[in-house]
Amino acid sequence: MSKSGQAMPLEVRHVRDALKREFDPLISLADYEKRQPLERENAFNSRALSARAARMLTDCTSEEAAESVIDGRDDFGIDAVAFSASAPELWLIQAKWSDKGKAGFDTSAAHKLVHGLKKLDNRDFDQFNERFRRLADRVRSVLDVPTCKVVLVIAVMGEGHLSTETEAILVEAAEEFGGYTRSIEHRVLNQTDFHRAVREDLTPEPITLTATMTQGWHSRETPFQAYSGLVAADELAQWYADNGERLYDRNVRRSLGLTGVNQTLVESLIRDPQGFWYRHNGITVQCDKIEPHFFAKQKPSEPVKLVLENASVVNGAQTVSSAHRAFQQNEEAVGEAYVTVRIISVSGAPEGFAGEITEATNTQNHMERSDFIAIKPVQSLIREDFRLSLDKDYVFKRGEIEPSPAFGCSVREAATALACAHPDPALAVRVKGSADALWEDGPGGIYTRLFGRRPSAYQIWRSVLLMRRVRESLHEVRSTLTGRAGSIADSGALLVAHMVAQQVGSEGIDEPDSGWESSLEDVPARVGATLAQLIPLVNHLFGGGSYITSTFASEERSRKLVAAVLQALSDGTDAGDLAAYQQRDDSKPPRRPNTVTLLIDHDSIPAGTRLMYHPSATEEQAIGDWLNADPRRAYATWVNDRRKPLLWEADGNRYSPSGLVTHIWQQAEWREAWSAVQGPKQWGVLGEDGTLVDLAEQLWQRLLTESLPEEEQFESLQ
C-alpha cells in the first residue's frame, strides 16, 4: 500500500522493486540515518530514480550511476550529474518520486534546476556539497569545451507533462546559457520511460542466425519474404550450441529433453544421416529480416547464405536439440544429414500472423493443449511481472526447467492454485478430474476464467504458497488416517484446498505490503478442522455407502459439501477431532511390493514422463556444482521397464533409480559417497510433490483400502 492507503500502481511497483534490486547497496542514505523509515524510503526511491535516469541516458554502469547522485543539502536543485562517454555533454538530473505515479515538475522545481545551472556556469563549485565536489573536475572539463552541450533532465514518476510556464523557464535558460557553439536543452523521462527500461532489462538480446541453403531452394517476396531449402544438420547443431534454449523463445514449448521420439532422431542422424531427410518433416524459423548473400549467381541452382535477424525456431525445437546431441557424439555423420528449413520474415505481417504460424506448424511431436497457451501474450506478461515484482521465475513452456519451489513456479502449478482459490468449487472438481481442464479456453473455460483478466504476480504466487501449505498439511494428516476417511482425504484434496482458500480470503492478496503471508501460519489448523467436518458430512449428505471417487467428481455434490463444511465452520459446529478416523489396527498389513514394480504394474507413471533428481543437503554440497554444470544431469525420462525404468538425459542410457544415483555419484567423483543408496527416494515426477516412494505408498494405501470389506471400510465412521 502507498502511504495514502491506495494501492500502488503496478508500473510504479515494478520500477520501485527494480530500483531496489539495482541500487540498494549503492545509494548512500547516510544523511537519513535518523529519519523515519518512510522518509528514508522516499529518499532512496528519488535518488535511485535519478541514478536510473543517468544509466538510461549515458549507458553507464549501475555503480557509475550511483556515483553520479549528489542529492542532499547544497545540491541546488540537481539530484544527479552524469557525463557522456564520447562527447562533451553534461546531464543535470532532477528526480521526483511518487508512490501513486503522480509526480510532477512545477515552476518552483524548474527555477531550482536553473539556479543550479547558473552556479555551475559561474564555477561556484565550492558552494556545492561534498558529493558534487568529487565530480567537480569532470564538470569543469566539460564546461570549458566551447562546443559543450548541457541537458536538463526532468525524471518523474508520473506522466511528465510540463505546464506552459515551466516550459518557458527552461526555454529562457537555454537562450541565456547557449552560445554560438554550446547548447542547452531539456528532456523529460516519465513513468512510461522508466517502466520500459526495467522491462528491457529482462529482454534477451535478439538472436542472429545464418542458414546456408544448397541448390534447389525456393523464395518468395510477397506477401511476406520467405525461403525454403535444405540446410546441413551440423549447422542447426551450431545454432543450439551458440544460443541454447533461447532459440525457442517464440515456440509453444522448449525442447522436451531425451524423449523416446527425440532419442530416435539422434539415432537416425548418426546411423543413417543421408536418409534422415526422407523421414523428417523439416523445421520452421521466424525472423524479422532475411538478408541473402550469394556465393556466385543469384539463382536457386546456386547456394545462398541467409542472415536471419531476431530469429526463433517456432517448429522443430526437438530436431535442432537432437541435432546438437547427435553432433556431440558424431560430428562427421551429422555433417552429412540435411533438413528442410522454412524461413519466414514476419516484418509487416498483421497482428496474430506469427502466432498462427507457430500454432499451425507444431505437429512433429505430440502436442498437448497446454502447449498452445505459451503463445498467448498474457503468459509473457505474467512472467515479466514475476521477475519485476517478486524477482522469481515463472515458466509456461513445456520443456522449460522448472524453478525450485523457493524461486518460482510453473504455469501448471499456478493455474491449479488459482483454480483452488476461485470462489466456484467446480473449477477444483474439474481439475481433479483432468489436469488438461486447466487449459480449456473460450467462454466458461477454466483457462479463460483464471487468466482472462490477468492475475498479478502477487496473487498467483501467494495462491501457490497457500496450495503448497495445504498439501503439506494434508500429507501429514493423511498418513494417520485409515479406510474411508483416508480415501476422502485423498479424493478431496483439491476441494480441501479450495475450502481453506475461502476461509483465508483474498483480502490483501494483491498488495505487496499487506502481510498476507501471516495467514499461512493457520493453514494446518484449518486443514484439520476442514477434514473433521468434511468426513462425516460426506456420509450425512450422500450416505455411508456412497462412492468417494464419484462424489468428489460431481460438481453438484461438491458444491453441497463445500457449502455445508463452510457453514459448519462458520457456526462453530463441533465435529470432534480426527482421532476417530486414525489407524487403530494392530495387525500387520501386507508387505508392500517393490516401488518400481508397484508403479509399473499399475501404470502409475506414463511412459515419457520427465523425472527430477532430488539430492539431499549433503549431496547438494558435495556434487551440486557438478549437477549444475549440465542441467541434463538432474533429469531422466520414465520407461515402463521393471529393471531399468530411468532414461538419463545426460547420456541416453537406462538405469534403475538406485543405479543412476550411484552412477551420478561416480561421475561426479564423490569419494565420500555413502555405501547405501535409496534411489526411489531421490527421484520424483517433475512438477509434482513427493518422490517415487511417496507415489508408490499412496498407491499401496489406496489398494489396501479398496481391498477391505465394505463394513471394515466404514468401521471408523460408525
Side-chain angles (χ1 to χ4, degrees):
M1 296 287 286
S2 67
K3 61 186 178 180
S4 68
Q6 297 178 352
M8 182 181 292
L10 183 61
E11 281 193 357
V12 177
R13 176 153 47 82
H14 282 172
V15 174
R16 181 201 63 180
D17 294 346
L19 294 177
K20 185 173 180 61
R21 287 193 295 269
E22 182 175 3
F23 294 110
D24 191 26
L26 304 175
I27 297 291
S28 173
L29 290 175
D31 52 332
Y32 274 80
E33 287 183 358
K34 298 182 180 180
R35 303 287 187 90
Q36 295 295 318
L38 185 58
E39 291 183 274
R40 288 175 57 83
E41 181 182 349
N42 287 337
F44 171 82
N45 290 338
S46 180
R47 291 177 180 181
L49 193 70
S50 65
R52 191 65 169 86
R55 191 160 80 81
M56 291 164 60
L57 296 167
T58 66
D59 200 28
C60 62
T61 65
S62 300
E63 290 76 12
E64 291 169 338
E67 287 294 323
S68 75
V69 177
I70 69 166
D71 176 57
R73 179 177 295 180
D74 297 328
D75 63 17
F76 296 101
I78 302 173
D79 294 332
V81 180
F83 308 89
S84 295
S86 58
E89 292 181 332
L90 188 65
W91 305 80
L92 306 180
I93 304 167
Q94 186 177 126
K96 301 291 184 183
W97 176 266
S98 166
D99 284 352
K100 293 186 284 187
K102 295 183 178 180
F105 188 82
D106 56 18
T107 55
S108 175
H111 280 303
K112 287 181 180 179
L113 185 56
V114 171
H115 180 57
L117 171 65
K118 290 179 179 178
K119 288 282 186 183
L120 299 185
D121 191 39
N122 293 334
R123 307 303 193 270
D124 293 333
F125 297 161
D126 59 333
Q127 296 183 24
F128 280 83
N129 59 34
E130 182 181 352
R131 295 192 188 98
F132 173 84
R133 289 197 290 272
R134 292 198 298 264
L135 307 172
D137 288 342
R138 292 189 67 183
V139 173
R140 181 181 288 106
S141 66
V142 173
L143 293 178
D144 286 346
V145 176
T147 57
C148 75
K149 177 181 177 181
V150 177
V151 183
L152 303 179
V153 180
I154 297 96
V156 293
M157 189 50 55
E159 294 181 354
H161 296 311
L162 303 183
S163 67
T164 304
E165 294 79 8
T166 303
E167 286 273 7
I169 294 169
L170 298 175
V171 170
E172 183 179 351
E175 293 173 350
E176 291 180 2
F177 180 84
Y180 178 68
T181 54
R182 71 177 186 175
S183 63
I184 181 172
E185 60 184 52
H186 68 272
R187 179 172 177 179
V188 177
L189 295 177
N190 63 13
Q191 177 176 314
T192 300
D193 296 319
F194 285 107
H195 191 251
R196 183 186 303 114
V198 299
R199 290 180 62 188
E200 289 175 352
D201 282 348
L202 304 178
T203 305
E205 291 294 321
I207 291 176
T208 298
L209 300 176
T210 58
T212 305
M213 290 186 171
T214 61
Q215 63 273 14
W217 49 268
H218 302 280
S219 69
R220 62 183 303 172
E221 297 296 324
T222 57
F224 313 110
Q225 188 182 23
Y227 280 77
S228 179
L230 300 182
V231 176
D234 59 355
E235 192 166 8
L236 304 185
Q238 192 60 45
W239 289 1
Y240 189 89
D242 292 341
N243 302 285
E245 295 291 312
R246 291 182 56 222
L247 274 174
Y248 317 129
D249 279 349
R250 299 185 201 170
N251 204 341
V252 298
R253 61 187 175 198
R254 300 286 187 172
S255 60
L256 300 180
L258 203 59
T259 65
V261 172
N262 295 342
Q263 180 65 11
T264 301
L265 290 175
V266 172
E267 294 171 355
S268 177
L269 280 164
I270 294 174
R271 294 175 182 174
D272 184 17
Q274 294 182 349
F276 183 77
W277 176 82
Y278 295 95
R279 298 186 294 272
H280 192 267
N281 293 338
I283 71 173
T284 303
V285 178
Q286 280 183 11
C287 63
D288 288 349
K289 181 180 178 181
I290 306 173
E291 185 177 324
H293 297 270
F294 297 93
F295 297 94
K297 297 180 180 179
Q298 299 185 24
K299 55 183 181 179
S301 60
E302 300 290 338
V304 61
K305 179 180 179 181
L306 305 174
V307 178
L308 318 178
E309 296 183 7
N310 196 15
S312 178
V313 176
V314 298
N315 170 249
Q318 319 313 320
T319 302
V320 176
S321 302
S322 298
H324 179 253
R325 289 180 186 273
F327 186 79
Q328 291 176 313
Q329 299 177 37
N330 192 325
E331 297 181 11
E332 184 176 350
V334 176
E336 296 178 5
Y338 283 86
V339 177
T340 298
V341 178
R342 187 171 58 151
I343 302 167
I344 303 172
S345 170
V346 295
S347 176
E351 184 177 355
F353 177 72
E356 291 173 4
I357 294 175
T358 302
E359 184 169 349
T361 56
N362 274 278
T363 56
Q364 182 70 24
N365 265 280
H366 167 68
M367 293 298 298
E368 296 184 3
R369 187 183 297 178
S370 60
D371 289 331
F372 293 106
I373 67 142
I375 57 177
K376 294 184 180 294
V378 66
Q379 294 301 325
S380 296
L381 292 172
I382 290 173
R383 176 173 59 187
E384 183 180 278
D385 193 8
F386 259 69
R387 293 293 303 278
L388 290 171
S389 295
L390 304 169
D391 196 23
K392 296 186 184 297
D393 294 324
Y394 175 83
V395 299
F396 54 87
K397 294 183 180 181
R398 188 154 59 103
E400 285 184 314
I401 296 177
E402 295 189 16
S404 59
F407 295 99
C409 66
S410 68
V411 64
R412 183 176 293 274
E413 186 178 22
T416 303
L418 290 174
C420 290
H422 196 278
D424 186 355
L427 272 63
V429 175
R430 293 182 202 172
V431 174
K432 169 68 177 175
S434 170
D436 282 344
L438 288 168
W439 321 122
E440 293 173 353
D441 214 345
I446 292 184
Y447 180 83
T448 304
R449 297 175 71 177
L450 298 181
F451 295 101
R453 180 178 180 182
R454 176 165 64 94
S456 72
Y458 275 97
Q459 179 185 349
I460 294 174
W461 180 241
R462 285 167 168 173
S463 297
V464 167
L465 293 179
L466 179 60
M467 184 180 70
R468 289 175 180 174
R469 192 73 184 95
V470 170
R471 280 179 171 173
E472 292 170 4
S473 302
L474 268 174
H475 182 72
E476 294 175 7
V477 174
R478 173 62 184 91
S479 63
T480 69
L481 300 178
T482 185
R484 186 172 172 86
S487 181
I488 289 173
D490 286 336
S491 295
L494 291 184
L495 210 61
V496 171
H498 165 77
M499 288 185 281
V500 171
Q502 304 314 302
Q503 295 170 61
V504 171
S506 59
E507 184 176 354
I509 198 170
D510 261 339
E511 300 168 7
D513 305 320
S514 66
W516 182 93
E517 282 77 5
S518 62
S519 60
L520 296 176
E521 298 173 3
D522 300 329
V523 167
R526 292 186 185 278
V527 167
T530 300
L531 271 178
Q533 296 286 354
L534 177 65
I535 293 170
L537 278 170
V538 170
N539 292 338
H540 176 71
L541 292 175
F542 310 115
S546 59
Y547 288 100
I548 300 301
T549 302
S550 59
T551 293
F552 286 100
S554 166
E555 294 183 19
E556 180 183 357
R557 289 192 167 193
S558 294
R559 283 196 175 100
K560 289 181 179 179
L561 273 173
V562 168
V565 170
L566 294 180
Q567 186 62 51
L569 290 170
S570 176
D571 295 342
T573 303
D574 183 14
D577 56 28
L578 294 172
Y581 313 115
Q582 294 173 339
Q583 298 174 357
R584 297 190 304 273
D585 188 0
D586 295 329
S587 62
K588 289 185 177 181
R591 185 175 179 180
R592 180 171 70 77
N594 170 275
T595 293
V596 171
T597 300
L598 183 62
L599 293 174
I600 289 178
D601 286 349
H602 293 274
D603 295 322
S604 295
I605 303 177
T609 298
R610 292 186 79 196
L611 305 182
M612 184 176 183
Y613 178 46
H614 297 289
S616 65
T618 302
E619 290 173 274
E620 185 69 42
Q621 185 175 3
I623 66 173
D625 291 341
W626 183 84
L627 286 171
N628 293 334
D630 184 349
R632 297 175 301 170
R633 292 169 176 169
Y635 295 92
T637 302
W638 182 263
V639 180
N640 283 324
D641 180 270
R642 286 183 176 81
R643 197 166 62 89
K644 295 182 178 181
L646 300 189
L647 181 70
W648 195 30
E649 293 192 5
D651 65 7
N653 294 323
R654 293 183 181 180
Y655 301 86
S656 68
S658 295
L660 182 49
V661 171
T662 301
H663 183 68
I664 287 173
W665 291 353
Q666 293 171 347
Q667 293 295 304
E669 298 182 353
W670 185 23
R671 304 187 188 281
E672 296 78 22
W674 304 301
S675 58
V677 183
Q678 297 177 316
K681 289 186 176 181
Q682 295 178 270
W683 290 94
V685 174
L686 183 62
E688 295 185 9
D689 295 333
T691 65
L692 296 179
V693 170
D694 295 326
L695 288 176
E697 186 61 30
Q698 292 171 13
L699 171 61
W700 182 242
Q701 292 300 324
R702 188 167 69 250
L703 293 174
L704 288 178
T705 300
E706 292 173 353
S707 66
L708 289 174
E710 184 172 304
E711 61 272 13
E712 290 186 31
Q713 293 184 26
F714 302 153
E715 180 183 5
S716 62
L717 299 179
Q718 301 306 311

